[in-house]
Amino acid sequence: MRILLLGSGGREHALAWKINQSVWTNPLYIAPGNPGTARLGKNVAIDISDFDAIGKFCIDEKIEMVVVGPEEPLVNGLCDYFNEKEELQNIYFVGPSKQGAMLEGSKAFAKAFMQRHNIPTAGYREFTLENYEEGVAYLQEHSLPIVLKADGLAAGKGVVICHNHVEAIAEFELMIQQSKFGDASKKVVVEEFLEGIELSVFALTDGQHYILLPEAKDYKRIGEGDTGLNTGGMGAVSPVPFATADFMKKVEEQVVKPTINGLYEEKINYKGFVFFGLISVNDDPYVIEYNCRMGDPETEVVIPRLKNDIVDLFVATFNGELDKVELRADPRSAVTVMAVSKGYPLAYQKGVEIKGLNENFGKSSLLFQAGTKEKDGTIVTNGGRVLCITSYGENIDEAVNTSLDMLSYVQFDGMYYRNDIGYEFK
Ligand code: AMP
Ligand code: GLY
């Protein structure tokens, strides 16, 4: 099967690694990919926001399956673009329609969807310029802390947690009146703060049936002990010890099933991944966000634990046959540790040479590249999150120690990583 994977991060390197192992894959293209994916398939220089260019490539190269890594093309309607064009309709497209992707693309849509389907989530109200004054009054009376969320996509920066009313009203004004996140913050969701521990749960759905993938927990803060600024994710672990069978049963019954059934009932075309960003409050799951894609860096631990042929799963997804497959997961733990550029998540340097990428990391570890590029025959940094090393272990402790050992073979100027990924589970 001729497959095109869209994206260029560590998530896509992990997906490419897995797709490349499928008996179906021949060949694999990645657009635009990175130097890591170039070892597993052929990178093609296509801008993934250019739907016409993607469509033309698929026709020219007789692509039979498209797998979408990041949310943006989905939120902008790439799936619908394929469905509307006769010559693209028959391609196995893995990713939801524009309407389905609104679970991630509009916080207000997601909240209303959860209300309609009785899915546990924090209480909320939504505001725009039209009811701005009412919003200010609402904030003044709100218990602390207050969570403000820009409605639309804001590159992961649209959620602000405010610890006093003055700060909340100032942020509210910035979002709505000053368009802090452009059109994305024309509408703002004001939400109750939930106190608990977070968990990332992933389903693959054909729009009616689903399979649950291994769960994961990511570490968003830059500093050890979960301190400092938020990042795209500094590491992840899977499985997650507090996600017991009892807890996961609640997740399935209270969150996953009502979500998939809700999509089905509302006739929303959704064939792809659903990422449930959950928080466990006194051992009960609440949804803090949906994403219409896999997580990053969660993918770098979830996919290595998946034993099924992933292309088999994608074919079943497209054909509406996910009720006929059974997930098989590696019982070992997987931990990934992300190495980032000095200064990240604030300003950082790019173009720094990376050494050690060709080391033999052994059977227990995998190196996934994220923000890297090739320059004059060497591989240099090209982003904040540069690469990660995933390791398997009998437990989280063993897996993280292996990743830390392996990271000592890789070097670039200003390289930083957290030594404490998985600390609460050791
Ligand atoms: P998001 O951009 O939706 O992933 O939100 C970013 C982070 O904000 C989440 O991972 C949580 O840590 C936090 N967060 C979002 N909503 C809430 C909430 N209602 N209560 C507590 N923390 C939240
Ligand atoms: N790791 C969180 C995300 O991918 O959104």
Side-chain angles (χ1 to χ4, degrees):
M1 195 173 241
R2 303 176 65 79
I3 303 178
L4 172 65
L5 168 66
L6 302 182
S8 62
R11 167 181 53 210
E12 286 75 20
H13 189 175
L15 286 169
W17 170 79
K18 188 71 183 165
I19 294 170
N20 180 54
Q21 289 167 33
S22 166
V23 295
W24 294 89
T25 306
N26 184 28
L28 170 63
Y29 294 98
I30 310 97
N34 66 36
T37 65
R39 299 177 183 192
L40 301 164
K42 191 170 174 356
N43 285 352
V44 284
I46 299 177
D47 171 359
I48 59 168
S49 58
D50 185 346
F51 292 2
D52 288 337
I54 297 169
K56 182 174 184 311
F57 180 83
C58 288
I59 294 165
D60 291 349
E61 294 300 327
K62 302 188 170 56
I63 295 298
E64 296 164 280
M65 176 180 282
V66 173
V67 181
V68 185
E71 64 280 9
E72 217 164 295
L74 297 168
V75 171
N76 292 331
L78 185 61
C79 174
D80 310 71
Y81 180 92
F82 271 65
N83 283 337
E84 282 154 17
K85 292 222 170 358
E86 219 181 291
E87 61 278 27
L88 298 174
Q89 266 166 11
N90 295 327
I91 296 177
Y92 288 60
F93 190 96
V94 183
S97 64
K98 186 171 183 163
Q99 211 192 356
M102 276 177 74
L103 283 183
E104 174 165 5
S106 166
K107 304 270 189 206
F109 176 88
K111 295 297 278 191
F113 178 89
M114 286 186 266
Q115 275 207 328
R116 283 198 295 281
H117 299 286
N118 276 317
I119 296 164
T121 187
Y124 82 107
R125 290 268 315 262
E126 56 183 80
F127 297 99
T128 60
L129 207 48
E130 254 122 71
N131 57 354
Y132 181 80
E133 290 307 326
E134 200 184 326
V136 172
Y138 181 75
L139 287 173
Q140 256 151 357
E141 299 298 315
H142 201 288
S143 59
L144 294 172
I146 309 173
V147 184
L148 299 187
K149 298 185 169 180
D151 179 53
L153 289 186
K157 299 194 168 67
V159 175
V160 183
I161 295 171
C162 302
H163 296 274
N164 63 62
H165 293 100
V166 175
E167 185 193 343
I169 291 165
E171 189 62 39
F172 188 67
E173 182 191 329
L174 275 177
M175 285 194 185
I176 294 188
Q177 307 255 27
Q178 321 285 337
S179 304
K180 180 176 178 186
F181 300 108
D183 283 353
S185 63
K186 273 188 169 164
K187 190 185 274 179
V188 169
V189 165
V190 178
E191 194 174 280
E192 277 169 12
F193 181 82
L194 298 175
E195 185 83 57
I197 183 160
E198 289 181 45
L199 178 71
S200 304
V201 169
F202 303 94
L204 181 63
T205 181
D206 56 23
Q208 185 177 6
H209 321 102
Y210 67 89
I211 53 168
L212 274 192
L213 304 178
E215 78 285 353
K217 179 175 190 300
D218 80 341
Y219 292 78
K220 289 205 173 78
R221 303 294 198 93
I222 188 75
E224 289 179 3
D226 292 330
T227 54
L229 294 173
N230 255 324
T231 71
M234 297 297 293
V237 304
S238 177
V240 180
F242 75 83
T244 57
D246 279 352
F247 184 75
M248 290 309 289
K249 190 160 187 287
K250 288 189 200 169
V251 170
E252 274 203 78
E253 296 302 324
Q254 296 169 21
V255 175
V256 179
K257 283 184 187 164
T259 299
I260 305 301
N261 291 341
L263 291 168
Y264 184 71
E265 279 164 26
E266 296 190 23
K267 299 190 169 49
I268 295 175
N269 172 16
Y270 203 119
K271 291 172 187 289
F273 294 107
V274 190
F275 169 161
F276 302 87
L278 304 180
I279 192 157
S280 164
V281 182
N282 300 325
D283 230 21
D284 281 320
Y286 288 78
V287 177
I288 25 182
E289 62 165 346
Y290 285 113
N291 295 306
C292 61
R293 50 164 174 90
M294 287 295 291
D296 194 351
E298 290 96 326
T299 304
E300 291 93 309
V301 291
V302 171
I303 292 297
R305 292 194 57 226
L306 181 66
K307 286 190 146 180
N308 303 63
D309 181 321
I310 199 168
V311 178
D312 273 344
L313 298 183
F314 291 155
V315 169
T317 300
F318 192 79
N319 289 335
E321 293 179 341
L322 278 177
D323 54 331
K324 302 201 174 89
V325 301
E326 205 164 314
L327 179 103
R328 285 176 290 119
D330 192 317
R332 288 176 296 173
S333 292
V335 173
T336 198
V337 180
M338 187 68 72
V340 305
S341 300
K342 185 177 175 185
Y344 175 78
L346 301 174
Y348 54 83
Q349 212 185 339
K350 288 186 188 176
V352 179
E353 185 178 350
I354 308 168
K355 295 191 183 125
L357 288 172
N358 292 322
E359 288 294 329
N360 179 357
F361 295 103
K363 273 201 184 130
S364 297
S365 297
L366 299 156
L367 185 147
F368 296 121
Q369 297 188 32
T372 63
K373 74 169 186 185
E374 198 188 316
K375 191 181 159 205
D376 306 328
T378 59
I379 297 183
V380 299
T381 64
N382 191 41
R385 292 194 293 172
V386 175
L387 56 90
C388 58
I389 295 189
T390 298
S391 301
Y392 296 101
E394 287 311 312
N395 50 45
I396 287 174
D397 208 16
E398 189 180 301
V400 74
N401 286 335
T402 307
S403 274
L404 293 173
D405 282 350
M406 293 303 153
L407 274 166
S408 66
Y409 294 100
V410 182
Q411 279 167 343
F412 59 87
D413 218 24
M415 172 169 156
Y416 165 77
Y417 52 86
R418 277 178 61 169
N419 282 288
D420 70 338
I421 299 303
Y423 68 92
E424 55 306 38
F425 307 127
K426 285 189 187 172

